[in-house]
């Protein structure tokens, strides 16, 4: 059978056969296993321990033997001959003493005399006298200085020898020469002291030659006396010592291994001593020798009492084992013979082995018995001490006759019949004792293994000695050791760490010799050398441990969900490294899969039980007491546990294929999701039945907890849906919170405004405030509230896009309401501050009616026209800054909300327009009060100060315009929004403002706002005749109020921009009077009258002489005419610049520029109308002055720095507006003839009509999206405007507003019209008929376009028939 086939894991044919049934040959050759009593095991262990005592090396002691006295035979060498080595190198520095040596020598000499020197040889009184005599000579100043200077060795040695000789001669007879031998001895001690000083002072390394010569000198002096202290140690100057063996005491106290046996079997020394005395005559070294010889004989005879080839799987294994036994037996026999030489003579076999000093020792190395036993036992008194190779040629098995025994027990004295069974009992007894021994020190802990203790050193020595005597193979020892460990582990006598340490111990034997360690490892892992019994037992051990470890693993894994569970790592480590890695262990995948399934199911059951505990802990028994907080706490407990398990098993998520986290989430999360749904529904039902509401914050907290659990559920169980839609269940809490916010938003705004002082905030007093500091706290507070409101929903991370978009839409409406309220309050306060009376008006309030008329007459007589600059309040400009800041903040908020994404989500989840009918409940009418004509004069000056009031049919005021002073053709250009659910009658009343008394009635008109008339959503213009005289121009457009986030943001933006424009207009209105004064025909006439002289007046009356043209004013005079206006602007701009932000400042200046353009335009041409005007056309000289004024004002508002060319005023693109270009083009047509102007007007009208018709034919989109020049039906009250109105959707953010302005500019440049020509023709009486015909033509074109648009809308919306629904834009 091949070796490779035997090494396959889990397959061993002979072992399998052995496990199934014993073969007949084995049954007949091997006795049945019997139980071993503890007493029998004790007796055999005691025998081996006692034999170890008998065979241990004898202790030896020193014994003194007196010698016969004899005369000394020593000879003394000449000191001069001895010092020749130093004399030859007299001047060499290397043979001189180092500096500082003499002082150290003096100290040591003093120490010798005082008896402080440690060496025993310096304590002789004669030596002390010699050293004292030398010290006296050394201390002489002359000698000492000479020695410190020269530092020569020979001089110092000679002086010592001279003084020692003199001292030793004292008291001696002339014939006594014994002192000479003592002089050499004392000098040698002096030389030794010098060497010690050099060595201890670290001078010997620098002077090696000196140290060498001193050592040579000392050896020469001691030629006849090698041991200076021998006399003192031997106790006499004569005699000798010898070593003799100490006789055996046969007492337990002198037997180390016997004491170990007594301890492990819990017996007293007296009991053990009694047993030894009882059997001492039998337990002899001779009996041990006989056991070895008997075993050797049986081994050679292949007896059943030793291992045979049938005990091994392969014959090669048996031969290797048998080959290793012979040298070990020979060495053990020689050890017994050496300890008892007389046994060599009394042995029945005289052919004992002899030591062979020439043997290589390779055979002995194959065994592994003797070397491993001696190394592992680490015993200094082992009975096995023969380490030399033995010559086995003297032993001849053929010469030995096999002994005959009556019983198995009679075969050996020291070896039991069943060595394995006896050894196992002894090993178990020793291990039990050592594990319970508290005095036994554990091994040192390492990074890989903790501190552990298995067998003590004495127990190990005893077991090694037993295995050696009983010839137990090394592998059998290991397997039996594992078998005992297995038994202890199953009985829970040892821990898992001890089991791991036991496996590690047998795999890594503690051998000092690397060669032996490698051999032991080879023997352990080479299973071909194992006995079949060891192989089968090893499989049983592994299978038994595997089952036990799996049970422990299951029990430990069941605790994995506890707060501090035991670790499964040690169990898995033992399984992986010691069980599964062993070739003898076989496991089937089916068994492992079954265990994994069982463990996974057990984990699920544990998770289910733990969830039930959580329910009982966090959920009250009474349903009436259930709260969202309970659901939250239950969810937190589940999530915390899942997170803890995930973190705990991050590196190793599975335990034998079972995943604790998966089992937990698969069990707990579905249970929690279903219970949470039921509990929440029950809480909501109970609250509704009681008429109570669950707090909104509790709903938000619950949602966030449920969302987190749903996230974990989705990650862990992607194929299992969550039990319910959390958003559908808890959306009502968000709607309640939005409604609560809507109900409190007005109070927030009112509170913020009430606490605001509208002052500039500055962080550095003394320095001008920055733009970021020029708005007050109220606008900051309300937008902080808006952002917090939005963030509260955003932080929920609502996982339903459609619901989230609807939430944002509702919040946009709430924010729009808050902004509308803020604009209303700010505008009211701003208007109150701007409409305050001047000091003169306040003074006039105290005058009587007669005094007031007298003052007016006096002012009129004096022609008082001087206008003082208006003193603006800083608080007013702070309010304007607040509106400007609010626009920017709202635009930022609109981007953060991501309005376009919300619209996209809603449109994707909303049925198409063709599948639904959009019902509009509210309509937003935008009414722009443009201008009035031919108003009634109510003042004595022949003018009026008109303003317009809009009211509904119930006389509820809806809007009021500003006052235009001294004007019968005023232009307001003010806009108001009116929301209605159906038709509404609007009454417009024009009043004349009077500083004194009641305001005068100018005229009244009305208009009906019917949504059905504006189904095309196009703007219309209405000239409404007043009931007195004159007429009023209104521009009306309509939008359906939509539940749309873009609509709400657009409405809020338009509210802010309209408030901003109205506030800026109120500012500019305070300056417009002076602008009208400086840019009036009166100012123009005054400038031209400066060039009239006396001669020109006389020539005027002399009609017979030809008249000369008036002299035109110079450029300087034209510029000087505007200096008062520029000064007025500068004064007011300086006041504004202290408070307004740069953007607000540019806005006010832009508004002023528009006012300048309107004033200049009205100076040149009248307003557009179908009636002739009484306004006189300017002559060329006057028109030139007007255009020069326009250029001067353009440069003033542009404010370019002459040095840096930096624009500090209104940007160029704003200055060059369409109206600016319209005024500039007047110069081309202003003085053309009437016929030429009419032809040009007709040509431009025809081109415009053709272009619009082409555009209508090309359009394929619904008519509602078409921009018509004259929209609206002729049968309605008015004509449509030329351009699309500023709808709410076009005002939803700053970007759309800028784009609308740019489109308007491009449209004006690309589509020129004849409005300016018609305005010029109004000043030509002969063009009256053309103006009337042109107006009718516009009405007809507008009616046709409107009818076509309505038909297209009907076809697109209703499939070819008229419907009442309004199209969605």
């Amino acid at each position: 059978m091949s070796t490779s086939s035997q090494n396959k894991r889990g397959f061993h044919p002979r072992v399998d056969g052995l496990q199934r049934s014993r073969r007949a040959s084995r049954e007949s050759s091997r006795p049945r296993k019997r139980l071993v009593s503890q007493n029998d095991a004790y007796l055999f262990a005691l025998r081996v321990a006692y034999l170890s005592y008998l065979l241990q090396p004898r202790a030896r002691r020193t014994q003194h033997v007196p010698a016969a006295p004899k005369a000394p035979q020593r000879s003394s060498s000449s000191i001069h001959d001895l010092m020749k080595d130093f004399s030859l190198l007299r001047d060499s520095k290397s043979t001189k003493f180092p500096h500082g040596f003499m002082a150290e020598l003096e100290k040591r000499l003093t120490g010798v005399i005082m008896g402080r020197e440690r060496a025993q040889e310096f304590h002789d009184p004669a030596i002390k006298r010699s050293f004292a005599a030398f010290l006296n000579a050394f201390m002489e100043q002359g000698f000492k200085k000479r020695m410190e200077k020269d530092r020569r060795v020979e001089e110092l040695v000679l002086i010592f020898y001279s003084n020692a000789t003199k001292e030793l001669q004292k008291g001696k007879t002339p014939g006594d020469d014994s002192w000479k031998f003592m002089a050499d001895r004392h000098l040698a001690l002096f030389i030794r002291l010098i060497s010690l000083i050099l060595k201890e002072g670290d001078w010997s390394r620098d002077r090696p030659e000196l140290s060498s010569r001193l050592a040579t000198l000392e050896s020469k002096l001691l030629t006849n006396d090698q041991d200076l202290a021998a006399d003192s140690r031997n106790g006499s100057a004569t005699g000798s010592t010898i070593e003799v063996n100490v006789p055996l005491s046969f007492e337990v106290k002198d037997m180390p291994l016997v004491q170990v046996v007594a301890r492990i079997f819990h017996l007293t020394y007296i009991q053990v001593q009694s047993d030894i005395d009882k059997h001492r005559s039998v337990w002899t070294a001779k009996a041990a020798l006989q056991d070895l010889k008997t075993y050797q004989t049986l081994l050679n005879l292949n007896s059943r009492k030793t291992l045979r080839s049938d005990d091994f799987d392969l014959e090669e294994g048996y031969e290797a084992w048998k080959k290793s036994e012979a040298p070990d037996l020979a060495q053990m026999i020689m050890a017994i013979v050496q300890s008892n030489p007389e046994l060599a003579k009394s042995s029945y076999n005289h052919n004992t082995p002899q030591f062979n000093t020439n043997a290589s020792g390779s055979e002995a190395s194959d065994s592994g018995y003797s070397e491993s036993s001696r190394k592992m036992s680490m015993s200094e008194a082992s009975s096995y001490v023969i380490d030399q190779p033995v010559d086995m040629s003297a032993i001849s098995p053929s010469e030995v006759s096999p002994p005959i025994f009556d019983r198995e027990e009679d075969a050996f004295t020291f070896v039991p019949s069943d060595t394995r069974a006896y050894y196992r009992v002894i090993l178990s007894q020793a291990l039990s004792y050592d594990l319970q021994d508290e005095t036994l020190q554990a091994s040192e802990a390492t990074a890989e293994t903790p501190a552990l203790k298995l067998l003590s050193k004495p127990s190990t020595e005893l077991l090694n000695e037993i295995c050696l005597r009983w010839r137990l193979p090394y592998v059998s020892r290991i397997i039996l050791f594992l078998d005992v460990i297995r038994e202890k582990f199953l009985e829970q006598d040892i821990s898992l760490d001890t089991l791991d340490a036991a496996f590690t111990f047998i795999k890594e034997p503690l051998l000092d010799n690397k060669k032996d360690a490698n051999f032991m490892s080879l023997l352990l892992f080479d299973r071909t050398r194992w006995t079949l019994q060891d192989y089968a037992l090893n499989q049983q051990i592994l299978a038994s441990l595997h089952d036990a470890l799996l049970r422990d693993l299951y029990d430990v894994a069941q605790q994995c969900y506890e707060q501090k569970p035991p670790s499964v790592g040690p169990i898995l480590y033992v399984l992986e490294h010691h069980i599964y890695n062993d070739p003898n262990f076989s496991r089937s995948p089916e068994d492992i899969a079954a265990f994994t399934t069982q463990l996974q199911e057990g984990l699920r059951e544990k998770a289910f039980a733990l969830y039930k505990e959580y329910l009982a802990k966090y959920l009250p028994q009474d349903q009436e007491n259930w709260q969202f907080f309970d659901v939250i706490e239950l969810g937190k407990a589940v999530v915390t546990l899942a997170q803890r398990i995930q973190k705990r098993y991050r590196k190793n998520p599975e335990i034998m294929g079972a995943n604790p986290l998966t089992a937990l989430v698969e069990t707990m999360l579905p249970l929690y999701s279903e219970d949470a749904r039921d509990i929440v529904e029950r809480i909501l039902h109970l609250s509704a039945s009681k008429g109570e509401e669950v707090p909104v914050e509790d709903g938000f907290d619950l949602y966030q907890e449920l969302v987190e659990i749903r996230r974990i559920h989705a990650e862990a169980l992607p194929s299992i849906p969550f039990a319910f839609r959390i958003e559908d269940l808890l959306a009502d809490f968000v709607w309640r919170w939005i409604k609560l916010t809507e109900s409190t938003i007005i109070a927030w705004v009112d509170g913020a405004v009430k606490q605001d002082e509208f002052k500039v905030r500055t962080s550095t007093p003394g320095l001008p405030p920055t733009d970021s500091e020029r708005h007050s706290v109220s606008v900051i507070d309300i937008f902080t509230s808006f952002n917090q409101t939005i963030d509260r929903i955003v932080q929920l991370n609502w996982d339903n896009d459609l619901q989230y978009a609807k939430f944002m839409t509702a919040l946009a409406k709430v924010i729009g309401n808050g902004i509308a309220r803020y604009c209303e309050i700010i505008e009211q306060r701003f208007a109150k501050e701007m409409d305050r009376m001047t000091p003169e008006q306040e003074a006039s309030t105290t005058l009587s009616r007669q005094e007031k008329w007298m003052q007016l007459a006096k002012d009129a007589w004096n022609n008082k026209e001087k206008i003082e600059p208006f003193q603006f309040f800083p608080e007013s400009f702070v309010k304007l800054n607040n509106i400007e800041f609010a626009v920017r903040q709202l635009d930022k908020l609109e981007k953060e909300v991501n309005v376009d994404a919300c619209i996209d989500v809603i449109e994707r989840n909303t049925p198409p327009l063709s599948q639904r009918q959009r019902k509009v409940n509210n309509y937003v009418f935008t009414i722009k009060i443009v201008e009035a004509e031919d108003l009634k004069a109510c003042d004595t000056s022949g003018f009026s100060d008109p303003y317009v009031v809009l009211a509904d049919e119930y006389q509820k005021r809806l809007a009021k315009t500003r006052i235009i002073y001294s004007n019968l053709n005023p232009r307001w250009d003010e806009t108001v929004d009116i929301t209605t659910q159906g038709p509404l009658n609007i009454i417009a009343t024009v009043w004349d403002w009077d500083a004194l008394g009641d305001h005068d009635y100018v005229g009244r008109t009305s208009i009906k706002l019917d949504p059905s008339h504006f189904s095309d959503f196009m703007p219309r213009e209405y000239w409404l005749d007043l009931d007195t005289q004159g007429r009023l121009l209104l521009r009306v457009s309509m939008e359906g109020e939509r539940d749309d986030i873009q609509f709400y943001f657009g409405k809020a933006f338009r509210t802010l921009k309209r408030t901003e424009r109205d506030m800026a207009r109120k500012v500019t209105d305070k300056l417009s009077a002076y602008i009208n004064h400086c840019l009036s025909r009166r100012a123009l006439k005054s400038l031209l009258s400066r060039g009239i002289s006396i001669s020109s007046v006389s020539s005027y009356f002399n009609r017979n002489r030809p008249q000369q043209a008036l002299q035109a004013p110079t450029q300087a005079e034209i510029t000087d005419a505007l200096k008062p206006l520029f000064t007025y602007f500068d004064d007011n701009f300086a006041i504004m610049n202290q408070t307004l932000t740069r953007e607000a400042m540019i806005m006010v200046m832009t508004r002023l520029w528009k006012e300048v353009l309107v004033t200049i335009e009205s100076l040149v041409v009248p307003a557009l109308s179908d009636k002739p005007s009484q306004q006189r056309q300017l002559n060329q000289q006057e028109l030139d002055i007007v255009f020069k004024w326009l250029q001067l004002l353009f440069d003033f508002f542009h404010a370019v720095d002459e040095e840096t060319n930096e624009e500090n005023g209104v940007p160029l693109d704003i200055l060059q507006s369409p109206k600016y270009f319209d005024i500039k083009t007047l110069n081309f047509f202003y003085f053309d003839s009437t016929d030429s102007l009419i032809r040009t007007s007709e040509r431009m009208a025809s081109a415009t009509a053709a272009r619009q018709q082409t555009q209508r034919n090309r359009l394929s989109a619904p008519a509602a999206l078409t921009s018509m020049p004259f929209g609206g039906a002729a049968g309605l009250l008015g004509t449509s405007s030329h351009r699309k109105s500023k709808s709410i959707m076009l005002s939803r953010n700053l970007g759309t507003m800028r784009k609308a302005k740019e489109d308007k500019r491009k449209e004006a440049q690309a589509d020129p019209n004849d409005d300016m020509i018609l305005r010029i023709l109004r000043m030509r009486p002969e063009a009256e008929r053309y103006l009337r015909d042109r107006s009718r033509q516009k009405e007809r074109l507008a009616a046709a376009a409107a009818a076509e648009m309505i038909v297209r809308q009907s076809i697109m919306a209703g499939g070819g028939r008229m419907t009442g629904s309004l199209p969605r834009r």
Side-chain angles (χ1 to χ4, degrees), residues 517-561:
N518 292 335
F519 175 74
M520 291 295 101
S521 299
L522 177 63
L523 184 62
L524 181 62
F525 292 103
D526 185 4
R527 306 301 166 98
T528 61
R529 298 191 179 190
W530 286 27
T531 65
L532 295 178
Q533 195 170 4
D534 290 335
Y535 199 99
L537 181 58
N538 186 41
Q539 283 189 330
Q540 295 175 8
I541 293 171
L542 294 177
S544 178
L545 285 177
H546 179 255
D547 294 340
L549 289 171
L550 287 186
R551 286 193 298 269
D552 291 348
L553 180 63
Y554 183 88
D555 295 338
V556 171
Q558 294 300 301
Q559 307 174 50
C560 67
Y561 300 136

Side-chain angles (χ1 to χ4, degrees), residues 1091-1107:
I1092 300 177
S1093 60
I1094 298 298
S1095 59
S1096 63
V1097 174
S1098 59
S1099 63
Y1100 175 77
F1101 290 100
N1102 191 355
R1103 300 180 181 269
N1104 297 325
R1105 300 177 61 182
Q1107 296 184 7

Side-chain angles (χ1 to χ4, degrees), residues 5-223:
S5 65
Q6 298 300 318
N7 290 334
K8 292 182 180 179
R9 172 171 293 193
F11 177 75
H12 204 301
R14 297 194 64 183
V15 173
D16 293 340
L18 181 64
Q19 290 176 340
R20 288 192 300 266
S21 62
R22 298 287 185 178
R23 292 174 300 181
S25 60
R26 292 299 302 275
E27 290 292 338
S28 61
S29 63
R30 181 170 298 279
R32 294 183 180 273
K33 183 177 180 181
R34 63 175 182 174
L35 296 177
V36 179
S37 66
Q38 185 174 347
N39 185 63
D40 292 343
Y42 154 69
L43 289 176
F44 275 98
L46 183 60
R47 298 179 195 191
V48 175
Y50 175 69
L51 179 61
S52 174
Y53 170 71
L54 293 178
L55 300 181
Q56 69 180 358
R58 296 290 188 270
R60 305 178 71 85
R61 65 185 178 187
T62 303
Q63 183 175 344
H64 177 67
V65 179
K70 62 180 181 177
Q73 298 294 327
R74 300 177 182 176
S75 62
S76 177
S77 301
S78 172
I79 188 63
H80 295 287
D81 294 339
L82 296 175
M83 297 301 297
K84 285 182 179 180
D85 292 340
F86 292 94
S87 300
L88 294 175
L89 300 173
R90 186 181 185 90
D91 295 331
S92 177
K93 292 183 179 180
S94 61
T95 58
K96 288 186 177 182
F97 290 117
H99 291 286
F101 176 80
M102 298 305 168
E104 188 65 27
L105 176 63
E106 181 181 349
K107 294 180 183 179
R108 298 296 289 271
L109 290 172
T110 305
V112 171
I113 297 171
M114 300 299 294
R116 294 194 299 267
E117 195 66 31
R118 293 187 299 272
Q120 189 70 24
E121 55 266 26
F122 291 101
H123 293 178
D124 190 3
I127 293 175
K128 292 181 180 181
R129 289 195 301 272
S130 299
F131 275 63
F134 170 73
L135 182 60
N136 291 333
F138 182 76
M139 294 301 294
E140 293 181 3
Q141 293 297 326
F143 178 73
K144 188 175 182 180
K145 289 182 179 180
R146 186 171 69 254
M147 289 305 301
E148 291 178 350
K149 179 180 178 182
D150 297 338
R151 295 179 282 113
R152 291 184 301 187
V153 177
E154 64 272 18
E155 186 174 356
L156 187 66
V157 171
L158 291 174
I159 292 300
F160 178 85
Y161 185 78
S162 175
N163 285 276
T165 302
K166 292 179 183 180
E167 184 64 29
L168 291 173
Q169 287 178 350
K170 292 180 181 181
K172 301 293 183 181
T173 60
D176 189 1
D177 294 336
S178 61
W179 61 269
K180 294 182 180 180
F181 305 111
M182 297 303 296
D184 293 346
R185 181 185 181 88
H186 290 191
L187 181 59
L189 282 174
F190 180 70
I191 298 299
R192 179 174 293 184
L193 182 65
I194 291 175
S195 299
L196 290 174
I197 295 173
L198 290 173
K199 184 177 180 180
E200 294 174 0
D202 205 18
W203 287 316
S204 59
R205 290 190 304 173
D206 298 335
R207 287 170 170 76
E209 186 177 354
L210 175 60
S211 300
S212 175
R213 292 183 183 278
L214 288 174
T216 303
L217 178 59
E218 181 183 354
S219 63
K220 288 180 179 180
L221 290 171
L222 296 178
T223 302

Side-chain angles (χ1 to χ4, degrees), residues 278-320:
K278 180 179 178 181
H279 298 92
R280 192 168 70 178
S281 60
V282 180
W283 298 348
T284 61
K286 183 178 180 180
L289 181 61
Q290 184 63 40
D291 283 356
L292 290 177
K293 291 182 178 181
T294 302
Y295 178 81
Q296 190 177 43
T297 302
L298 296 175
L299 178 64
N300 292 329
L301 296 177
N302 197 20
S303 172
R304 64 184 178 83
K305 295 185 180 295
T306 63
L307 293 177
R308 300 194 305 172
S309 60
D310 291 341
D311 293 311
F312 292 87
D313 185 43
L314 296 178
E315 189 68 25
E316 292 85 353
Y318 169 70
E319 293 297 333

Side-chain angles (χ1 to χ4, degrees), residues 226-240:
Q226 292 296 329
D227 191 354
L228 295 177
D231 294 340
S232 59
R233 289 200 307 270
N234 293 334
S236 173
T238 59
S240 62

